[in-house]
Amino acid sequence: MKSTKTLKIFQKLQARPPTIGLTVHYGMKGIARAAIISEVDHLSLAGKVHLTVFPPGEPPFPVDARYSEKLRNGFWTWP
């Protein structure tokens, strides 16, 4: 089951691949936060990227995150 889900994510990201410099959403405390992709793990089937997250009123911070179709804490998704 998990491999089927990973394959679906991989196929979806082939249609719209993550690219360095693109703005995405990062799930944090149930809220979408702006983030910029700074590195893409091209070997990851789960859409793993390195982000810089910009929470309002706080300093930006780096994080590694995997893709999710829906907003989830600790994952990135398209706006």
Side-chain angles (χ1 to χ4, degrees):
M1 180 77 162
K2 186 175 182 179
S3 61
T4 302
K5 185 177 180 181
T6 301
L7 181 59
K8 287 181 182 180
I9 289 171
F10 176 75
Q11 290 171 336
K12 183 171 182 88
L13 291 176
Q14 290 302 300
R16 186 178 180 192
T19 306
I20 293 172
L22 290 181
T23 302
V24 296
H25 287 170
Y26 176 74
M28 189 173 147
K29 299 177 185 174
I31 300 170
R33 297 298 182 204
I36 296 176
I37 298 173
S38 54
E39 188 174 347
V40 177
D41 181 349
H42 294 288
L43 300 178
S44 170
L45 298 178
K48 186 176 176 184
V49 298
H50 187 79
L51 303 171
T52 300
V53 181
F54 298 90
E58 299 178 30
F61 64 91
V63 67
D64 289 330
R66 292 179 296 140
Y67 174 77
S68 175
E69 288 186 282
K70 297 179 182 177
L71 183 67
R72 293 172 48 196
N73 291 338
F75 288 77
W76 72 272
T77 191
W78 294 112

